[in-house]
Amino acid sequence: LLCMAHWPDIALSLGYFENHFKDAIIQSSAGGSSVQYQNTDQDPSKGMEAELTYEFNPHFMLRVNYTFIGEKPDLSFREADEIASFTLNYQFNKWNSNIIATYHDKRDSPTGGNLIDPLTLDDYWHLSGKITYNFDNKWSGFIQAKNLLDKDYLTPATNTALTEGIPNRGLEVLVGATWQF
């Protein structure tokens, strides 16, 4: 179910989602730290999401997203209940820049050789930015920084052999060019 509204400078969407799974591929414990994949039916996931886009003027735009998962299958413990993002974009002539903040609520990670007693990982904010210059309609150059605050954070492991979550990269800077043909 989706409800959308659009005005000259504002767009708003509100949605409710419900996903049902038949013969889903899930990860289950095969004893010890081993896991196996199997097909099974599982409970649905249900939630709500909202997005607001506001164009301050022809150069600045703000986009805000929020997702709440109110009900999810037990085996989807790696997924956060709440996810949000804020994007501020600036466009002027051949320049484009943006800054993006994303939020992930706490999540669980399998640990100690089983899926039954997961480790709860802290919630976190992640900040990134990018500046692009369009040389012409085919070539552009950019500089991008990910994890601008150089924050240490963990995300869920995909197997049960680890005793804590997966550490993620610190500050990462990329410089590149794009060629469209």
Side-chain angles (χ1 to χ4, degrees):
L1 178 63
L2 182 65
C3 177
M4 296 176 67
H6 195 275
W7 296 273
D9 299 329
I10 299 173
L12 175 68
S13 68
L14 301 170
Y16 169 81
F17 62 86
E18 189 171 314
N19 299 303
H20 295 267
F21 307 97
K22 181 178 179 182
D23 291 332
I25 299 172
I26 62 143
Q27 194 179 60
S28 63
S29 179
S33 62
S34 299
V35 294
Q36 67 182 5
Y37 294 92
Q38 64 185 46
N39 291 82
T40 185
D41 290 340
Q42 61 181 5
D43 294 334
S45 64
K46 300 175 184 178
M48 300 179 338
E49 54 191 1
E51 179 173 299
L52 172 70
T53 303
Y54 177 63
E55 193 172 323
F56 296 99
N57 58 47
H59 304 291
F60 279 100
M61 182 185 73
L62 174 69
R63 176 172 286 149
V64 179
N65 302 69
Y66 175 75
T67 301
F68 173 74
I69 302 173
E71 185 179 320
K72 62 185 173 187
D74 290 339
L75 291 171
S76 293
F77 58 86
R78 290 178 182 88
E79 302 301 323
D81 290 342
E82 294 181 86
I83 304 166
S85 71
F86 302 89
T87 303
L88 182 61
N89 194 77
Y90 175 74
Q91 172 78 44
F92 184 74
N93 293 331
K94 295 184 175 197
W95 291 95
N96 187 80
S97 62
N98 56 55
I99 191 153
I100 302 168
T102 57
Y103 171 76
H104 286 267
D105 193 15
K106 65 183 186 242
R107 299 186 275 180
D108 289 334
S109 182
T111 184
N114 70 65
L115 296 170
I116 311 279
D117 189 24
L119 171 71
T120 299
L121 303 175
D122 293 334
D123 61 337
Y124 64 90
W125 281 94
H126 188 268
L127 190 64
S128 62
K130 186 175 184 179
I131 298 172
T132 304
Y133 181 79
N134 295 303
F135 298 104
D136 56 34
N137 62 353
K138 291 188 178 186
W139 284 96
S140 64
F142 68 87
I143 184 167
Q144 181 177 18
K146 298 179 181 180
N147 195 1
L148 276 166
L149 304 177
D150 198 21
K151 183 171 173 87
D152 292 328
Y153 64 99
L154 302 172
T155 51
T158 57
N159 65 49
T160 60
L162 301 175
T163 57
E164 58 184 47
I166 303 292
N168 288 265
R169 292 182 181 179
L171 175 63
E172 180 180 2
V173 178
L174 302 120
V175 177
T178 305
W179 175 46
Q180 296 181 9
F181 56 94

